Amino acid sequence: APRIVTLGEALVSLRSVGPLTIGGPLSMHAAGAELNVAVALARLGYASSWGGVLGDDELGEFILRSLAAERVDTTHVRRDTRPTAIMFLEARTPEVSRIFYHRKDSAGARLSPHDVDRLLDRDLAWLHLTGITPALSEGARAAVLHAAQTCRRRSVPFSVDVNFRSKLWSEQEAAEVLPWLTEGAEVVIGSPEELALAAPAGKTLEAAAEELLASGVGEVVAKLGAAGARAFTGRHVLDAPAFPVRAVDTVGAGDAFTAGYLSARLDGEDVAARLRRGCLLGAFAVGHLGDWEGLPRRDELDLLDRGPGE
Ligand code: KDG
């Protein structure tokens, strides 16, 4: 099977059931936007690899164990003396949660262009990147830009999920860096606001999409949350509605959407089917606690597809 590689920082997320200030039980999950995509693709039967730097500590071991259980290849993970990053996820309502990072000077931020060379030095069919990595450190920024550049040079298709994180960098910094990351990507995904950061001259979603397509991006996909998603291919603009689900936890839904969209594209499906698969995986993620735990295997894809009540 063709190998799909994702690359970034994995974290341990500690989820509360209410305000962090009152304490109480926390549940422990492997997290990170790229890890979420890697697991989603592995569940759908792809040969999926995740690459990055983990601490040489219990939390790093926990993440490796989680990935192994999900059949995600971690051959090129490097361990470092810095700690594995942690984030607290404070759930206030199913739709509203807050994230508090403990990731400054973490192992994951030590990702370097050299790590990228080791990771990409093999047959790969697709590389998936996010706009989180360039916000982590100078080295991580150099690494992820190097990864995109390597793909352009070797004509390896790659995708970028913008994933703007305001706790890591400013919109201004992001707008300076993101166009260098997204240039020439096969697929760029983000909310309308995020897409505008990757296309600084584009004020509306349509203008941002046009600017990205003009920079050599193949498809621009806007995640619209409960309103579904919209794809711009240069020739078509297509919409898909979200699947109606009762939200349990919306964190991770964006990554699930991305994995769904990419998987349908890798399957050779048309744009309408890609959007539909994206929204479907988003619905699975929203309906379950944890970023990726509730995602479907390939033989479960039609579980929600049958529609409510069946
Ligand atoms: O998309 C979910 C991610 O936000 C979460 O798993 C943590 O990667 C993460 C981040 O940096 O915010």
Side-chain angles (χ1 to χ4, degrees), residues 126-127 129 148 151-152 156-160 181-187:
W126 193 283
L127 180 70
L129 304 169
C151 286
R152 285 179 210 118
V156 171
F158 70 103
S159 47
V160 177
L181 185 62
T182 55
E183 183 193 339
E186 282 294 328
V187 180

Side-chain angles (χ1 to χ4, degrees), residues 245 279-288 294-296 300-304:
V245 278
C279 290
L280 178 65
L281 255 69
F284 272 101
V286 163
H288 199 279
L295 294 180
E300 295 171 325
L301 272 179
D302 65 351
L303 260 179
L304 297 184

Side-chain angles (χ1 to χ4, degrees), residues 29-50:
H29 306 259
E34 304 83 4
L35 176 147
N36 295 342
V37 170
V39 170
L41 291 171
R43 287 234 177 141
L44 292 176
Y46 289 95
S48 168
S49 293
W50 177 81

Side-chain angles (χ1 to χ4, degrees), residues 11 31-33 36 87 99 101 103 132 165 168 251-252 255 291:
L11 309 87
N36 295 342
M87 69 184 221
I99 281 180
Y101 293 127
R103 73 192 305 180
I132 298 173
R165 297 289 183 263
L168 298 179
V251 180
D255 305 327
D291 285 6

